[in-house]
């Protein structure tokens, strides 16, 4: 049976929790004038700094699994299984979400809304968190030719490609925004997602060197902790007010350190399923995709329907409560959805 690496389940669960917290925060910041809430804004920005690694880690998990040299993936299999899964998720969840968005705007339901919702999904205009499914769909489509190219490129060329992607899609856009220099060549930030995907491949190829004793993992964890502390301090004490994104250099570095630390913790891969059944992390990881798909439902109910947000209460209490409440409700909903056999088999 194929070896199962437990760290992937743990990283997937951690990244899912981080996504829920990220959307708990951005759901407020995207719809509220934060001017009257300077202290809360600092807390929100610091929280975003510390959890924006979630999407890069998801992408590296995919790259680790699909681009690994020993993984044999044919284009037909990619279409029939993985791309079909993303397409079904987009329409089964994206269309109802697009309908809900129209109903919230118009305060009514029209028969034509269903068709308009289909068109919105085709245009990428459903709820904002669905963007990730379009990205993954593109990455799945390019996986077979990308694997073919990576297998034939010298490793030095792969690292050179990664350096070029990081410079073009992370460092230059950051400097351009930091200094307000439109004359600095800044490419769109979408290229950084290919950088993360290929990073997963590099970790799959060279991950063993991070498992030679406890020190590589300790060093990576220590560096990640120092970087996170510095990022938080720059918000709370330094007054750094720029809103960051997945392509910012500090997020790139933090994501790589955390994923590398995760790789280092896998000391002894297990074969298949343990005799005692699935572990907690395996069971939680099975819920991750469904949690990702449905968690904005609960945030939108609170924020848009009842007009209650973490800003309605003291932030030190409300933010953990909103995050944990959303996470638990989403996990319960995901568990129920996975009881539906066709959903579990073809989508979740």
């Amino acid at each position: 049976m194929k070896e199962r690496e437990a760290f992937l389940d743990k990283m997937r669960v951690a990244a899912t929790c981080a996504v829920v917290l990220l959307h708990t925060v951005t759901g407020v910041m995207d719809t509220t004038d934060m001017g009257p809430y300077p202290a809360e804004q600092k807390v929100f920005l610091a929280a975003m700094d510390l959890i924006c690694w979630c999407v890069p880690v998801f992408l590296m998990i995919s790259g680790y699994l699909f681009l690994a040299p020993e993984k044999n993936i044919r284009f037909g299999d990619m279409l029939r299984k993985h791309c079909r899964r993303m397409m079904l998720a987009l329409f089964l969840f994206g269309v109802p979400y697009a309908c809900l968005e129209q109903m919230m705007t118009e305060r009514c339901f029209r028969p034509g809304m269903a068709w308009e919702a289909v068109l919105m999904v085709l245009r990428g205009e459903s709820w904002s968190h669905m963007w990730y499914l379009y990205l993954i769909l593109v990455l799945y489509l390019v996986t077979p030719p990308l694997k073919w190219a990576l297998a034939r490129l010298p490793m030095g060329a792969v690292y050179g490609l990664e350096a070029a992607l990081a410079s073009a899609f992370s460092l230059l856009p950051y400097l351009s925004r930091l200094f307000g220099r439109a004359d600095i060549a800044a490419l769109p930030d979408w290229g950084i997602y290919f950088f993360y995907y290929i990073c997963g491949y590099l970790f799959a190829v060279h991950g063993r060197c991070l498992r030679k004793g406890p020190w590589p993992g300790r060093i990576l964890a220590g560096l990640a902790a120092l970087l996170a502390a510095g990022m938080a301090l720059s918000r709370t004490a330094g007054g750094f007010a720029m809103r960051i994104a997945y392509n910012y250099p500090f997020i790139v570095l933090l994501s790589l350190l955390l994923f590398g630390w995760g790789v280092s913790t896998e000391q002894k891969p297990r074969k298949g399923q343990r005799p005692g059944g699935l572990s907690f992390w395996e069971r939680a990881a099975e819920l991750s995709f469904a949690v990702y798909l449905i968690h904005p439902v609960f945030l939108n109910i609170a924020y848009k329907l009842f007009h209650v947000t973490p800003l309605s209460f003291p932030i030190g209490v409300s933010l953990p409560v909103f995050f944990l409440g959303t996470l638990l409700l989403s996990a319960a909903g995901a568990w129920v959805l996975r009881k539906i056999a066709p959903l579990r088999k073809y989508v979740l």
Side-chain angles (χ1 to χ4, degrees):
M1 295 180 66
K2 182 185 175 182
E3 291 181 344
R4 183 184 182 92
E5 297 185 85
F7 89 93
L8 292 172
D9 292 325
K10 297 175 182 177
M11 297 297 290
R12 189 177 288 113
V13 172
T16 301
C17 294
V19 163
V20 174
L21 179 55
L22 179 64
H23 290 157
T24 302
V25 170
T26 57
V28 179
M29 296 190 70
D30 291 342
T31 57
T32 306
D33 176 14
M34 297 300 296
Y37 306 97
E40 289 82 355
Q41 184 177 33
K42 285 186 177 182
V43 173
F44 284 166
L45 289 173
M48 289 178 61
D49 289 352
L50 300 179
I51 56 180
C52 267
W53 51 264
C54 52
V55 167
V57 162
F58 275 134
L59 295 173
M60 284 188 277
I61 289 173
S62 295
Y64 189 95
L65 292 172
F66 289 112
L67 297 178
E70 65 273 13
K71 181 81 170 181
N72 183 24
I73 296 181
R74 293 176 296 182
F75 188 73
D77 294 335
M78 211 69 185
L79 283 176
R80 285 190 297 271
K81 183 178 180 181
H82 302 291
C83 292
R84 181 184 64 182
R85 181 188 179 212
M86 291 300 109
M87 290 296 294
L88 288 173
L90 273 171
F91 283 94
L92 289 177
F93 290 87
V95 170
Y97 292 160
C99 281
L100 285 174
E101 194 64 27
Q102 294 177 81
M103 291 168 63
M104 289 180 183
T105 301
E106 301 181 21
R107 302 294 180 182
C108 67
F109 176 77
R110 294 181 289 101
M113 281 184 176
W115 174 243
E116 291 174 16
V118 172
L119 296 178
M120 289 173 68
V121 170
L122 292 174
R123 295 193 299 263
E125 297 173 357
S126 185
W127 281 1
S128 59
H129 76 296
M130 301 295 283
W131 74 271
Y132 182 76
L133 275 64
Y134 297 95
L135 170 62
I136 286 295
L137 186 60
V138 171
L139 291 178
Y140 284 170
L141 289 173
V142 303
T143 292
L146 183 58
K147 278 181 66 69
W148 182 90
L150 290 174
R152 287 158 179 78
L153 282 175
M155 194 54 65
V158 177
Y159 278 102
L161 173 63
E162 287 289 79
L165 289 173
S167 299
F169 296 104
S170 176
L171 186 60
L172 285 178
Y174 175 76
L175 293 175
S176 176
R177 186 174 180 186
L178 183 65
F179 295 110
R181 294 285 301 275
D183 58 325
I184 299 179
L187 298 175
D189 60 5
W190 52 262
I192 199 65
Y193 302 127
F194 290 94
F195 167 83
Y196 289 128
Y197 197 53
I198 297 173
C199 279
Y201 161 78
L202 294 175
F203 277 115
V205 172
H206 300 302
R208 290 189 183 90
C209 64
L210 297 176
R211 296 167 179 166
K212 296 180 179 179
W215 283 108
R218 291 175 182 175
I219 292 172
L220 291 173
L223 291 174
L226 285 174
L227 178 58
M231 292 166 67
L233 190 62
S234 71
R235 292 294 191 188
T236 56
F240 183 67
M242 182 188 298
R243 185 165 172 175
I244 64 169
Y246 302 124
N247 67 323
Y248 278 31
F250 300 115
I251 296 301
V252 172
L253 182 55
L254 182 61
S255 303
L256 293 176
L257 290 172
L258 289 174
F259 195 83
W261 170 76
V263 172
S264 74
T265 63
E266 186 69 23
Q267 298 297 331
K268 189 176 180 181
R270 298 163 293 143
K271 285 188 176 290
Q273 182 176 322
R274 298 189 305 176
L278 298 179
S279 70
F280 166 80
W281 294 109
E282 289 169 301
R283 292 185 183 278
E286 286 183 343
L287 300 177
S288 295
F289 187 48
V291 168
Y292 182 89
L293 289 172
I294 68 172
H295 73 275
V297 172
F298 305 103
L299 292 173
N300 276 299
I301 288 173
Y303 294 176
K304 295 182 179 180
L305 186 60
F306 294 112
H307 303 288
V308 178
T309 74
L311 296 176
S312 305
F313 310 95
I315 196 68
V317 176
S318 64
L319 185 57
V321 167
F322 271 82
F323 160 61
L324 291 174
T326 302
L327 182 62
L328 293 175
L329 288 171
S330 301
W335 182 83
V336 171
L337 289 176
R338 283 186 58 82
K339 292 296 181 181
I340 304 173
L343 274 180
R344 182 176 66 250
K345 181 177 180 180
Y346 295 108
V347 182
L348 305 178

